[in-house]
Every structure is written in C-alpha cells, then in structure tokens.
Amino acid sequence: MALIKDQTYQPKILVIDDEKRIREGCFSILTKENCLVDMAESGETGLTMIAEKHYDIILTDLMMPGIGGMEVLAKVREQHPDSVSIVITGFATLEHSIEAMKKGAFDFIPKPFTPDQLRVVVSKAVKMTRTLQDIATEKTRLKTIVNYLEGGVLVTDKIKNIILYNPTLLRMLGYDGEPLDDQPLSALTTDETLTGMIDSILGLKVGEFKVLSAEILPYDRGEGLSDERYLRAQSVPFQNRSGEILGSVTIIDDITHLKKLDEMKSAFVSMVAHEIRGPLSTVLSQIKILMDGLAGELGTKQADILGKISRKVGGLVELSNELLDISRIEAGLIVQDKQQVQLMDILESLVEFIQPRAKEKNIALSLKKADLPLINADMKSMEEVFSNLITNAIIYTPEGGKVDVRGEVKGDFVGISVSDTGYGIAPDELPRIFERFYRAKTEKTRNIVGTGLGLPIVKSIIEAHNGTVKVESEEGFGSTFYVRLPI
Ligand code: ADP
C-alpha cells in the first residue's frame, strides 16, 4: 500500500520509543514509504529533537521511564500545534485514550502492531498534516493578498468580532492602537454608517444575500472628522453551505479622487452654463424685439422662422438655468435661505400660473386644498420642486387627461402628491428617472424635449430639506410623485 500518493512530499516523522525493536520496526516500514524518519529512545531525547526541528508526525510511546508520552503530547501541542501526534500504547484503556486525546493525540496504535496497521494509521495522519498544511498555506496566501490590496479589508464573524483586516484599513480609519484580531468591531470604529451596515448584513436571513454600500467619513487623528478625504464602504455577508450567515466582509475604497474630479466637472459645467446663459438671453430679447415688429414689419415666413429660433434658444436658456441650479444645489448653496413657508399657498399660485398650459392641452389640473402646517424651507426651491413636478405631469399626459395635486399631514410630515393620468413610466426605467440627464424614452414621449435635470433637481432640493421623494407609476395609466417634508 502506498502511503503517500504525491512522491514529492516526504513527511518528517519522529518515533519516540524506549523499545529498540519498535523504533527500528517503524523506521524501516516508514522509510520504505518515502518518509524521513528520526528516532528517539526516550521522552527527554524526543523533546530535545522536537525543540530543534519541526516534525509533521510524532509517534510516541505512552509508557516510558522518565518523561512519558503524555508529557511529550503536551509539549508538542504547545510548541508545534500543527504537528500530528500518534500514541503507541501497550494498554489502550479508555481512560488513557481520553487523557491522550485531551492532550492533543490524533490517533492510537496498540502494541504489538503489524506493518499494515502502522501504515494505515500513519497514512491517516499524513492526510491530516496535508490538510493542515493546505489550510496554513491558504491562510498565508489570503493574508498576503489582503495585505497588499489597495482597498481596506475588514472581515468580522457573526458576533461582530474582527477576524481579518489589513494595514490599509487601519490607515483609512486612522487607527493605530493594539492589534485587533478577535477584538470587537467597536475597538476599531464607532462610525454609525459602517457599523449599521455591518449590523444589517449580519442580520440577513438564511440564504439571503445583499451588497450594501455607503459613504463613510475617514477619521483624521487629533483633528476630528476630516472632510478632505472620502471613503466608500461595501459590505457583503459570507455564508456556510446551508446559507447561514457566518460573518461580514467589508471593502473600503478611497474615492477622494473621484469626488474631486466630480467637483471639477460640476465647476466646469457651471462655468460654461453661466457663460452661455448671458449671451443667449441677449439673443432671446433681440429676437423678441424683431418679433414684436419693433425693428420693422415681418412677413409671416420670417415670423415663423424667428418663432422656431426663439423656442430653440429658449430651450438652451432653460438648460443653462437647470445646469446652474444643479451645480448650486450640489455645492449646498441653494437651500441656505430657509424660512417658515405655507406650502398650500405656493401650490395655489403655481397651479394658477400653470393652468393656462393645462388648458392648452385640455388637461384638468386641480388642487385639493387642505390645512397644512408651516414648514421650514427655502421658498424658491419649493416653487421649483412643485413647478417641475406639475409641469412634468402636464407634459407627460396626453390631451384630455387629468392632473391632481393634493397635500396632507402625515404624522410629523407634510405629504404632497402630484398624480397624472399620463403615459406612465416603465418599471425598469423607474429607478433611474432621478439620475442626472436620464430621460425615459418611449414611442409616445420621444418628441418631447427636455434635459433630464428636472427630477434630479427636485430630489436634491427635497433631500437638502431632509425630506423624501418617490414615484409610483404604471405604464399607460399614469404616475404619482410623492414628496414628504418634515414639519
Ligand atoms: P425631463 O422632463 O427634462 O426629461 P426630468 O428629470 O424632469 O427631465 O424627468 C426625467 C424623465 O422622467 C423624463 O424624461 C420622463 O421620461 C420621466 N417623467 C418625469 N415625470 C413624468 C411623468 N409625470 N409621467 C411620465 N414620465 C415622467
């Protein structure tokens, strides 16, 4: 029987026995099996050899004069926890077996034994050492990969103890304390976003899988929270074969360069929009002078052409305005002027202002009046939000439809809804309509011009007021936009 299939692997074995016959028997059988075998005639010699050299497998007699097998087992476990011990014993009583197991013995072989019995026991031990070695290799490989990753890595077990992390993580979170292995997560961070995310991951049901992602703040040592760097954390669960959550893996990336790039782009867009808007407005007013006949009579054809030019230029002015708005909102500038406002008043005057446009399309635009409490908000921004929502409702509703605006109090919030009987939005486009420049295109709406900036502006303004906006829609039947603002 071949003990070891892989002939390049030569297990190192130490045989400790005071009986020469046994030592030499083992030596000759195992050497033929491609093992590297050393021998010790006493517990003392055995321990000296173990202290000097690492053995994969240690075969030790239990009863020897002087240091016995139990002591050898205890020392092996202490000094070489990954060595596998086999006990050779003349009297394999239950008591001895239990004690030897407690001391870390992997198996027994009762004296006297045949060469085949020895081979079977050692072959099992060899398999065990290979597995232990594979695990150890896997561990160092994992540690090396993790240590050299550019992102921060944080692995916790089910009860939020840290089981793996890398130096990048510590640097990102500004930690320079004691090693964190097996320490609770709270020893590393108290960041609520990060710990909350890990809590949610660990709270997943059996078999459930989720990727959570959020921006977190880096901690700048000594100076409190730093706003110069931006980190993004992504957490996922890891599970056993039956889908139970065993822990969480979190990867943290430094996204400062992306943020800076985004800021630069916004600044650029805002600069361009600003530079374009001035001349365009001048062009628009000059066209108006021509159209009003202030520079001489116009023929029908000329008036017609100027009308088209005026509409196109008007569209460009609107685009520049929206681009400017969005960059101002992103820079946190637009909602600085908060005061007590009555939303119902704003809605009333907006509906009145937009009514002619609704009439043009034969759309019944109505406002259901209600008593609303005052809220703390930026007046102009609120006008912009509801003007966008109501105008959209009219634009995306065919002739003869209906648009209803209503407001009500819902607990600590004021809820405003704008619903229409229009084209609606397809389910796959619904999550995207609040993205910048996103426009859902269908056969019916493809001729409608727009910028795809209205809803992102709405969302940014509402979120800057600690509110929420959501939409429900059914294609072909209409949409309802719900805004909630804290009282
Ligand atoms: P724009 O109207 O300029 O295209 P918005 O950001 O206001 O940009 O809207 C984004 C997209 O959402 C629109 O292109 C349209 O497809 C869809 N949308 C918005 N409001 C409605 C609505 N009331 N009914 C149907 N679709 C809508």
Side-chain angles (χ1 to χ4, degrees), residues 318 322 388-397 403 418-426 429-430 432-442 445 448-458 471-473 478-481:
E318 201 176 308
E322 291 193 336
N388 260 313
L389 292 179
I390 300 171
T391 322
N392 271 354
I394 290 171
I395 293 175
Y396 296 103
T397 297
V403 173
V418 179
S419 57
D420 61 56
T421 56
Y423 305 116
I425 304 155
E429 311 222 63
L430 216 46
R432 301 200 57 191
I433 57 168
F434 291 98
E435 285 173 20
R436 276 184 278 174
F437 304 110
Y438 189 82
R439 307 201 61 225
K441 288 215 174 74
T442 67
T445 59
I448 297 172
V449 263
T451 57
L453 284 172
L455 291 180
I457 290 175
V458 166
V471 55
E472 277 169 14
S473 184
S479 320
T480 305
F481 285 80

Side-chain angles (χ1 to χ4, degrees), residues 4-15:
I4 300 141
K5 300 216 172 71
D6 175 5
Q7 289 297 311
T8 57
Y9 176 59
Q10 288 190 292
K12 291 182 212 67
I13 301 183
L14 174 65
V15 182

Side-chain angles (χ1 to χ4, degrees), residues 192-204:
E192 279 172 18
T193 317
L194 184 58
T195 48
M197 213 157 72
I198 293 177
D199 280 336
S200 317
I201 287 293
L202 296 176
L204 289 178

Side-chain angles (χ1 to χ4, degrees), residues 217-275:
L217 290 168
Y219 189 76
D220 208 1
R221 246 167 291 141
E223 292 159 36
L225 292 171
S226 141
D227 55 2
E228 275 167 35
R229 289 200 302 128
Y230 298 89
L231 301 178
R232 192 196 50 193
Q234 228 178 9
S235 291
V236 290
F238 63 94
Q239 299 152 330
N240 64 12
R241 282 190 208 165
S242 35
E244 281 162 47
I245 310 288
L246 297 182
S248 68
V249 177
T250 304
I251 308 289
I252 300 184
D253 288 314
D254 192 326
I255 51 162
T256 312
H257 59 294
L258 292 177
K259 280 276 184 186
K260 293 257 180 282
L261 206 65
D262 199 43
E263 274 169 22
M264 271 164 63
K265 270 199 208 155
S266 299
F268 175 73
V269 167
S270 139
M271 189 267 285
V272 172
H274 191 259
E275 292 300 307

